[in-house]
Amino acid sequence: MDVNQPKQEHLLALKVMRLTKPTLFTNVLVTCEERDLPGSLFNQLMKDDPSTVKGAETLMLGEMLTLPQNFGNIFLGETFSSYISVHNDSNQVVKDILVKADLQTSSQRLNLSASSAAVAELKPDCCIDDVIHHEVKEIGTHILVCAVSYTTQTGEKMYFRKFFKFQVLKPLDVKTKFYNAETDEVFLEAQIQNITTSPMFMEKVSLEPSMMYNVAELNTVDTAGKSESTFGSRTYLQPMDTRQYLYCLKPKQEFAEKAGIIKGVTVIGKLDIVWKTNLGERGRLQTSQLQRMAPGYGDVRLSLETIPDTVNLEEPFDITCKITNCSSERTMDLVLEMCNTNSIHWCGVSGRQLGKLHPSSSLHLALTLLSSVQGLQSVSGLRLTDTFLKRTYEYDDIAQVCVVSSEFKQS
């Protein structure tokens, strides 16, 4: 903390103290075995120590609290609280006292004073107290500027300031990954790392989706009819540990049919993270709007609506495809061709006309096929040709299906 002392003697004294939670007192363990030279002396001293836990003297954690010994660390998302006291050290009555507290960051200057009105007078040995609070939203250097102005009995106007400089640190490292599914769903993986030196209790990590999406959290499992967190009942994050959260975003019904709109959406939403540290000290962070790379489907998109997980060898099975014209201006006239592969054989007529498909519209298509090879097989070999532009779109590895011998019944 950097304090600039006033150059002249003032009648008032300014004191500033950061308000923070105390910490649990920790003992320094000094012990030995009874056969050693000190015998049971060290163990007895620990038992007589009033700060130790009775019956568990060898634990470093005590039952007493320790008041902060220094300014400590301030992390982004926490609430900075400070106690400001102006005391009249003189034997004179001081008038028109005005105390002002500003917080200077790298981008702005904030007024934190609870009141802007001046105090009429301050008698000797009396003080003016104020408590300020500010939720820290920027990292880097912060300067608390405390200014005091007053008038002496002789009518002389006096003024002085003090500066308190501190650094705001980053508590969490957040990394995100996006996975675009064929069904317009978007999966978000958020990796959150505790980069402080103390454990955190993760109270809430949620995703606030943009207006076009609904979100489902995939961080719980159902056990005996109850929903439990995948991280257990005690969601503590130790220093430098990382935790992964998964979310599934689905387009809202009113936007699901508008392929052109959903295709270009890059803004997904923002993460809201709430945690607690020492004795319930609360912190909260909201990320900026998360953006994904818009998937490049081209002019025509083909996706699977339904497909069985497991099928029998050399027995036909049905799938349902959805074909979407992603163009916002051009109507297409499509022809479907089905090309067999080494393991997948299509049933039906290849080269059939699908008709005209208007911009941003879709059609559903039921197809039948069979597999001649067991194992996990990839569905490939569909070709769509736009007769207007004489352009062919190839679709391979659309999905995978498990092919088993017909002797085994599907579960």
Side-chain angles (χ1 to χ4, degrees):
M1 185 178 293
D2 185 15
V3 180
N4 293 343
Q5 298 291 345
K7 296 181 180 180
Q8 65 184 92
E9 197 70 27
H10 282 276
L11 303 180
L12 302 182
L14 172 66
K15 294 183 179 180
V16 178
M17 178 185 297
R18 183 193 173 194
L19 297 179
T20 184
K21 297 289 182 68
T23 57
L24 290 171
F25 179 78
T26 55
N27 297 289
V28 178
L29 296 181
V30 181
T31 184
C32 65
E33 297 182 2
E34 292 187 357
R35 62 184 180 184
D36 292 335
L37 185 60
S40 60
L41 175 62
F42 291 152
N43 292 334
Q44 188 60 44
L45 288 174
M46 284 194 298
K47 291 180 180 179
D48 296 339
D49 189 342
S51 65
T52 58
V53 179
K54 302 306 176 186
E57 291 82 5
T58 55
L59 293 178
M60 292 185 64
L61 201 60
E63 294 181 320
M64 295 186 176
L65 297 177
T66 303
L67 294 176
Q69 303 299 306
N70 50 46
F71 195 75
N73 293 324
I74 300 178
F75 293 100
L76 184 68
E78 294 182 343
T79 299
F80 168 70
S81 300
S82 185
Y83 168 71
I84 300 175
S85 179
V86 176
H87 186 268
N88 188 352
D89 289 345
S90 69
N91 55 6
Q92 305 177 27
V93 177
V94 179
K95 298 180 179 180
D96 301 329
I97 306 97
L98 181 62
V99 182
K100 186 178 180 182
D102 291 342
L103 186 63
Q104 178 70 54
T105 70
S106 59
S107 62
Q108 58 184 335
R109 189 182 182 107
L110 304 168
N111 181 21
L112 304 184
S113 300
S115 174
S116 58
V119 178
E121 66 176 23
L122 187 63
K123 296 180 181 180
D125 290 330
C126 293
C127 60
I128 301 172
D129 299 323
D130 191 13
V131 176
I132 58 175
H133 303 280
H134 173 68
E135 184 178 346
V136 182
K137 298 181 179 180
E138 296 182 41
I139 60 174
T141 303
H142 287 57
I143 302 175
L144 180 63
V145 183
C146 297
V148 180
S149 62
Y150 61 95
T151 305
T152 64
Q153 284 184 336
T154 60
E156 183 182 3
K157 294 186 179 297
M158 306 293 289
Y159 175 82
F160 68 92
R161 292 188 302 174
K162 286 189 177 181
F163 300 89
F164 303 88
K165 185 177 179 181
F166 59 91
Q167 295 289 330
V168 174
L169 307 176
K170 185 180 176 183
L172 299 170
D173 186 29
V174 181
K175 297 178 181 178
T176 56
K177 295 180 182 179
F178 288 102
Y179 305 91
N180 298 307
E182 287 292 332
T183 56
D184 284 328
E185 294 179 343
V186 179
F187 291 89
L188 168 65
E189 177 191 347
Q191 298 180 358
I192 299 178
Q193 183 182 26
N194 176 8
I195 56 177
T196 70
T197 57
S198 59
M200 285 183 179
F201 172 75
M202 305 304 293
E203 184 175 291
K204 183 182 77 168
V205 179
S206 62
L207 176 64
E208 298 179 2
S210 61
M211 60 176 293
M212 292 189 180
Y213 286 96
N214 292 319
V215 64
E217 295 191 10
L218 306 179
N219 306 307
T220 57
V221 292
D222 291 330
T223 305
K226 295 182 179 180
S227 181
E228 296 183 359
S229 171
T230 54
F231 309 110
S233 57
R234 299 178 181 179
T235 56
Y236 288 98
L237 192 59
Q238 297 295 333
M240 302 312 295
D241 278 2
T242 301
R243 184 172 291 172
Q244 294 168 301
Y245 295 85
L246 186 62
Y247 304 90
C248 176
L249 296 107
K250 297 182 180 180
K252 292 182 179 178
Q253 189 61 38
E254 56 266 34
F255 301 109
E257 300 301 326
K258 300 178 181 179
I261 296 178
I262 290 297
K263 172 188 174 183
V265 171
T266 58
V267 177
I268 296 300
K270 56 184 178 181
L271 287 170
D272 187 13
I273 307 171
V274 181
W275 69 91
K276 289 181 179 178
T277 53
N278 177 48
L279 292 182
E281 195 82 40
R282 193 170 183 266
R284 181 184 181 186
L285 279 182
Q286 277 193 331
T287 65
S288 56
Q289 289 288 346
L290 303 176
Q291 295 190 342
R292 63 161 180 167
M293 293 290 292
Y297 298 128
D299 294 333
V300 184
R301 179 185 178 192
L302 185 144
S303 59
L304 282 183
E305 295 287 291
T306 60
I307 184 172
D309 296 327
T310 306
V311 298
N312 289 332
L313 180 67
E314 297 180 348
E315 289 186 11
F317 62 93
D318 297 325
I319 64 173
T320 303
C321 298
K322 181 180 178 182
I323 301 174
T324 304
N325 181 355
C326 296
S327 172
S328 59
E329 301 176 351
R330 187 168 58 85
T331 299
M332 299 181 178
D333 188 18
L334 298 177
V335 175
L336 173 66
E337 296 183 12
M338 301 178 292
C339 304
N340 294 333
T341 66
N342 293 333
S343 59
I344 294 295
H345 305 274
W346 296 93
C347 304
V349 179
S350 179
R352 59 170 165 159
Q353 294 279 345
L354 299 181
K356 293 182 179 180
L357 190 60
H358 296 287
S360 301
S361 60
S362 304
L363 65 86
H364 290 79
L365 190 64
L367 298 174
T368 304
L369 61 160
L370 61 84
S371 176
S372 59
V373 180
Q374 294 187 65
L376 192 64
Q377 302 301 326
S378 180
V379 177
S380 302
L382 290 181
R383 306 287 184 264
L384 288 172
T385 301
D386 181 8
T387 58
F388 288 155
L389 294 182
K390 306 298 182 182
R391 181 180 298 172
T392 300
Y393 305 90
E394 300 182 356
Y395 301 95
D396 295 316
D397 298 323
I398 305 168
Q400 291 182 323
V401 64
C402 182
V403 182
V404 298
S405 173
S406 56
E407 297 178 359
F408 297 96
K409 293 183 179 181
Q410 299 182 27
S411 57

